[in-house]
Amino acid sequence: MAQELAYLKESASQTAGPYVHIGLAPGAAGFDIYQQEFGHDITGPNAKGERIRVEGRVIDGMGAPIKDVLIELWQANADGHYAHPEGGGPVEDGFRGWGRVISDFKTGEWGFETVKPGKTRGRNVGTQAPHLNLWIVARGINIGLNTRMYFGDETAANAADPVLNLIEWEHRHATLIAERSEEDGMPIYHFDIRLQGDNETVFFDV
Amino acid sequence: MTQPGEFYQRNRGVHPPAFTPDYKTSVARSPRYSLISLQNSVSEITGPRFGHNDIDESDNDLLTNYAKAGESPIGERIILHGRVLDENAKPVPNTLVEIWQANAGGRYRHKKDTYLAPIDPNFGGCGRTLTDENGYFFFRTVKPGAYPWRNMVNNWRPAHIHVSVFGSGFVQRLITQCYFEGDPLIPICPIVRTIPDAAAIEQLTAKLDLNATIPLDSIAYNFDIVLRGRRSTLFENRLEGN
């Protein structure tokens, strides 16, 4: 008989349901309970780099914006370091690099302000283009969806990015790239995430 | 320079697939193309960290964290406790666990929940805590009620508590639900049934734990959570990892 290895199995995922706000954004659910709601302050006051705003919608297979979605982001600072012992280097005091946003109950729009991340270390060699790591949960999403947002004004870095280059279907690269515009001097990156359809966003098995 | 340890590939066989038509909302919210497989980079092996400054001591006590002074929520008082482990059976210390749930009548304190059951003035329905150095966590709360939902006309959710866990890397991020041993609604729930593996459903079912009950006060359920495993940091004299 083959030797049995004593590994456990990961707990199965379940949908976050329609009321994910109660647990993860109770203020939005209509009641204040915690001293502070998590995920609003992504960078802290000391972060270097360009201040930006990211906004968009998550769109379902019928073309409708999802109004009960929750998105978490995980990003490096302007030097390309994550706030973690293995993150590649030091980050500014107060820089967490993690955020949590929900969509508007009426319009499905979401947005957050942060700093533009720098290039990060590649898996073995080279560098990854600046990007945000995103994780999407909502009613009807059985297991959280991982994707990345890249920056439309980083053409050269994006062209050399090992993850984008892994995607064989070049026309799908565009689903991961946010277009830059400006509003009152603030750079805005617009990023819609499509769960299905012609321009279905690339999601990753990470 | 040493390479940081990477996470084991996720065993999708124990997780629900994205497209599960009996759970109707998944139909328009499930990607149709294959996920693109990535090897772990620094973006995946790192993740946010939380500390005791982030939470209040009472955040894990749903019996008191929303109740008026001297009052309590209605319902069966329970302790939900367990450990967060990884697939190597190693405890995951100092990680954030967040929960949310309906009240004993089966209604959520949410502006979108219009179920007939009353709102409990003394129950918020959410809590959070950090695991200790052994991966241990506990909450005090009331057992949530079952409630009807709009899927098939006559679907009822089993009593459940939603659980969100971080781990040490962003790819360990997990949201799941905790069910309760003996509930006849578990095997017929379309959301439970999105999970293809019977043992995986069993793993999400908290067990009555009479030894951890507090006599004449609260009944206890044990619920362990398993996150993805990870190879150790790769040392040149120990290339095999763990």
Side-chain angles (χ1 to χ4, degrees), chain A residues 6-24 26-38 59-62 65-70 72-74 80 82-88 96 98 100 105-106 120-124 128 131 133-135 137-146 148 163 166-169 172 195-206, chain B residues 1 3-4 6 8 10-12 14-18 20 23 25-51 53-56 59 65-66 85-89 96 98-100 108-113 124-128 157 162 164 166 168 170-171 173-177 179 191-192 194-195 197 200 203-204 224-228 230 233:
Chain A
Y7 292 122
L8 303 177
K9 282 185 173 163
E10 187 186 13
S11 297
S13 170
Q14 291 275 264
T15 174
Y19 304 131
V20 60
H21 319 95
I22 291 177
L24 305 187
F31 68 109
D32 290 318
I33 183 163
Y34 297 138
Q35 294 271 335
Q36 59 155 336
E37 205 153 290
F38 280 152
I59 297 165
D60 73 13
M62 321 253 197
I66 297 185
K67 298 171 183 175
D68 56 5
V69 73
L70 180 132
E72 288 186 5
L73 72 137
W74 173 238
Y82 287 95
H84 186 276
E86 293 161 328
R96 182 170 257 166
W98 172 77
R100 179 184 269 174
F105 289 150
K106 290 204 177 74
T120 50
R121 190 169 78 207
R123 178 169 182 269
N124 289 311
Q128 306 185 96
H131 65 276
N133 305 285
L134 302 174
W135 186 72
V137 293
R139 176 174 65 108
I141 296 178
N142 287 329
I143 179 165
L145 294 167
N146 285 88
R148 288 183 172 198
V163 168
L166 199 63
I167 304 164
E168 186 184 336
W169 306 275
R172 298 194 71 201
L195 300 187
Q196 282 176 17
D198 288 345
N199 289 311
E200 180 180 308
T201 300
V202 170
F203 297 104
F204 294 108
D205 188 5
V206 290
Chain B
M1 192 183 144
Q3 293 284 341
E6 297 176 1
Y8 301 157
R10 179 165 261 161
N11 177 357
R12 297 257 166 196
V14 302
H15 288 285
T20 48
Y23 172 28
T25 315
S26 77
V27 171
R29 296 186 171 192
S30 44
R32 289 301 143 85
Y33 296 131
S34 300
L35 306 180
I36 306 284
S37 298
L38 283 194
Q39 288 175 292
N40 287 181
S41 73
V42 65
S43 302
E44 285 78 35
I45 61 162
T46 58
R49 297 155 70 81
F50 301 91
N53 293 338
D54 289 317
I55 57 177
D56 292 336
D59 282 352
N65 72 4
Y66 197 77
L85 305 167
D86 70 11
E87 288 174 301
N88 300 312
L96 183 65
E98 296 164 285
I99 65 167
W100 67 101
Y108 288 93
R109 181 175 289 280
H110 192 286
K111 47 176 94 157
K112 296 267 179 189
D113 190 348
C126 65
R128 56 192 189 185
R157 293 296 335 269
H162 297 264
S164 169
F166 278 82
S168 61
F170 201 51
V171 295
R173 196 75 184 81
L174 184 74
I175 284 181
T176 186
Q177 297 180 24
Y179 302 99
I191 289 179
V192 174
T194 60
I195 301 170
D197 180 293
Q203 197 176 325
L204 294 188
D224 287 342
I225 301 160
V226 181
L227 300 181
R228 291 169 69 177
R230 185 181 191 190
T233 300

Side-chain angles (χ1 to χ4, degrees), chain A residues 91-172:
Chain A
V91 297
E92 303 87 344
D93 271 349
F95 181 88
R96 182 170 257 166
W98 172 77
R100 179 184 269 174
V101 293
I102 59 153
S103 57
D104 184 276
F105 289 150
K106 290 204 177 74
T107 64
E109 286 165 4
W110 50 264
F112 54 86
E113 284 174 20
T114 184
V115 295
K116 193 172 168 189
K119 290 180 183 174
T120 50
R121 190 169 78 207
R123 178 169 182 269
N124 289 311
V125 292
T127 56
Q128 306 185 96
H131 65 276
L132 307 177
N133 305 285
L134 302 174
W135 186 72
I136 300 147
V137 293
R139 176 174 65 108
I141 296 178
N142 287 329
I143 179 165
L145 294 167
N146 285 88
T147 189
R148 288 183 172 198
M149 190 202 97
Y150 287 85
F151 295 84
D153 52 336
E154 293 282 347
T155 317
N158 291 344
D161 181 77
V163 168
L164 285 173
N165 284 322
L166 199 63
I167 304 164
E168 186 184 336
W169 306 275
E170 284 178 26
H171 68 280
R172 298 194 71 201

